[in-house]
Amino acid sequence: MPSPLLRDLSEKHGVVAVDETSIDAFLSPATSEAEHNILFFAGDLAQRGETHDVAIILPQLLQAFTGRLRAGIVATRAEAALKQRFHVGVFPSLVVTRGGETLGVLPKVYDWPDYIARIEAMLTPGAPALVAASGPRVEVIYSKREAVR
């Protein structure tokens, strides 16, 4: 049974549930819809107390950015399959996208002014998309003469 807060996101605030099969359709807005989206990766509710905090904050963010963001909650069973695509490394996270491009990831919980400033920056025209890493972050090279002691 899903959390009452997560259920309320859908029932009271119109947050759409998405998974691997519906995410691309969700990210392609109709002409009259906002081009930016905010995706909620909740994670395991039993292990992450911040998830409920983010579930309370999300509707307030939608109200603060009325008409500029559409919201989706990633189905728990789809999080593992979608987290790399959207650069999610920590749960819970909010991901702001423009169409299929990830503009930013907001992991855990922030102060309200930080949410507003960060999301506002992501919604500016021409905001850069996050780019996937092209290789390992650290490369270790051992020479043939180096001895391990």
Side-chain angles (χ1 to χ4, degrees):
M1 174 190 233
S3 158
L5 281 173
L6 296 181
R7 192 174 42 250
D8 283 354
L9 285 176
S10 176
E11 294 173 3
K12 292 183 181 177
H13 302 289
V15 177
V16 178
V18 295
D19 60 17
E20 310 95 287
T21 60
S22 63
I23 189 70
D24 291 318
F26 173 77
L27 295 174
S28 301
T31 307
S32 61
E33 294 178 318
E35 75 171 320
H36 291 91
N37 308 292
I38 190 163
L39 298 172
F40 181 21
F41 284 77
D44 184 348
L45 296 165
Q47 294 181 355
R48 295 176 172 75
E50 301 97 339
T51 296
H52 288 117
D53 296 333
V54 177
I56 291 169
I57 293 166
L58 181 56
Q60 295 171 21
L61 289 171
L62 293 174
Q63 185 176 11
F65 293 99
T66 300
R68 298 175 68 193
L69 284 171
R70 295 180 318 119
I73 184 166
V74 177
T76 303
R77 68 184 184 285
E79 288 178 336
L82 295 174
K83 70 181 184 177
Q84 185 174 9
R85 174 179 173 181
F86 293 100
H87 308 279
V88 173
V90 176
F91 294 103
S93 284
L94 294 173
V95 177
V96 178
T97 71
R98 178 180 49 232
E101 296 179 306
T102 300
L103 300 177
V105 179
L106 301 165
K108 303 266 183 180
V109 178
Y110 289 81
D111 289 331
W112 184 253
D114 291 332
Y115 275 118
I116 298 301
R118 289 171 187 248
I119 293 172
E120 189 65 52
M122 292 177 213
L123 297 181
T124 59
L130 291 179
V131 180
S134 60
R137 292 184 181 169
V138 176
E139 184 176 356
V140 178
I141 301 172
Y142 294 98
S143 68
K144 290 181 182 179
R145 287 186 267 164
E146 188 170 321
V148 178
R149 296 177 196 235

